[in-house]
Amino acid sequence: MSRKMHLAFILGHGPSQHSVAAWTLPRAYRGFTYAQPAFWEDLGRTLERGCIDMLFFADVYGVYDVFEGRPDAAIRYGIQFPLHDPAPLVPLITRATRGLGVGISVSTTYLPPYYTARLFSTLDHLTEGRVAWNVVASYGRSAAAQFSMAQELSKEERYARAEEYMQVCYQLWDSWDPDALVMDREAKVFADPAKVRKIHHQGRYFQVEGPLDVAPSPQGRPVIIQAGASGPGMAFAGRHAEIHFATSASLDGMRRYRAEVAQTVAQAGRDPADVRVLWATSIHVGETEAEARAKEAALRDAVPPEGGLALMSGHFGVDFSAVPPDRPLEELGLQETPGMQGVANMLLRDFPGLTLAEVARIYGNGMGGLRVVGSAAQVADRLEEAFEAGGGDGFMFRCGELPGSVTDVVELLVPELQRRGRFRTAYAGETLRQTLTED
Ligand SMILES: Cc1cc2nc3c(=O)[nH]c(=O)nc-3n(C[C@H](O)[C@H](O)[C@H](O)COP(=O)(O)O)c2cc1C
């Protein structure tokens, strides 16, 4: 029997996802529907029809203002701006569905660990065990500036803090024994005080007394997702990730990256099989190849040249307005950035020799990574090839306009993958962790 894929979508709670100007296309929602509950409930139901593992919300704080030293391009084109808080969407979407999981990004740099541990335990109850946390250490001065900090912390410090943060969260989630709840009405005993403990954490960054004031939740803790891929980011993934989001535009790059993840996980004393890798993938499916290519072209042509540059500037902390557009990628200072280093490494590895203008066009339209375009059969062929030759456990789709491009995947691609025995036809697990680890 063929190995089955895991499929998820990465979106943002705003008008613009990972392609600048996708909101301008004919099949995109109108007006403010992206801010209204019915839009997300409907999208959740569509994904559930396709038995998709998870809807995942990326999130950043602040507005990208590195390009030209001001936020004008981000505001003008709606580049991951505005971005509404994704946490309230979690129970809203899971109430409209039975099997779909929902993940959100929450930063270890800006929010306190007690708050985050409590938030995810509460969400785990409200979703009946279908929530995931993408642990991000954040990037960018504009995020720091929203949280009373004049400068962002160095990457080393962000990851050192993230490490202690996880230890605090684990202690809080473990501060109740599973059988601590007594609920004996006659004896009037709610919980056994011997089985709910303070944690007394005294560390370099955090002092937290505990215990967690949320009863043990269905999954015990959220599924831990992680995407950072710098040296310290990868080491962090080795210690904590259950799901690792990875990005590569070539099969060879996928193979090498997958081996690196396995090695890092083993070095942290864990079984490499315990970390599932999902590849960020831009996808366009049509009834025919020509239709899919037309959709791809419409999205590509919608991206204003400045838009790709402004997104790159925000992600890597370099003002590309000041750089000649014909400068080669290798000379853009991406070898070591304060921003998304894993993504910068992917660009350097998979797009050698391109100019800044060429890279910005690709970046503004889905941020690079795998790109699959065609009829359902063609896309399924390409995904199967990547799945077998590149390794990993499945794909995290970046799409074009909402909801049309999601509907295309569910109605055209999913039945094709199901016919090939590559994707589930019903949810088997009760919790998101079970769904994501099902063989
Ligand atoms: C596929 C993918 C998705 C990401 N999503 C987010 C996100 O939603 N919010 C965020 O602040 N960072 C996000 N990041 C950034 C990373 O989590 C990480 O903080 C950043 O890459 C810097 O770490 P690094 O230099 O170790 O890669 C994402 C990265 C990748 C590759």
Side-chain angles (χ1 to χ4, degrees), residues 58-59 105 134 136-137 139 155 159 227-230 233 245 339-343:
D59 197 26
S105 298
N134 180 32
V136 295
Y139 53 85
K155 187 163 290 188
Y159 275 116
S230 60
F245 286 176
M340 301 220 268
Q341 191 58 44
V343 181

Side-chain angles (χ1 to χ4, degrees), residues 161-172:
R161 205 183 131 94
E163 182 58 39
E164 189 182 328
Y165 199 104
M166 297 310 289
Q167 301 311 329
V168 175
C169 288
Y170 295 149
Q171 291 176 74
L172 287 170

Side-chain angles (χ1 to χ4, degrees), residues 260-316:
E260 206 185 320
V261 173
Q263 193 186 13
T264 313
V265 174
Q267 272 163 4
R270 299 168 67 208
D271 182 348
D274 288 347
V275 181
R276 305 291 202 275
V277 173
L278 299 182
W279 300 101
T281 303
S282 296
I283 186 161
H284 297 278
V285 199
E287 297 277 1
T288 61
E289 179 181 355
E291 188 190 297
R293 297 224 170 269
K295 285 176 188 167
E296 186 199 24
L299 187 61
R300 188 184 56 230
D301 295 345
V303 181
E306 264 194 351
L309 290 169
L311 185 61
M312 283 179 67
S313 295
H315 283 179
F316 304 123

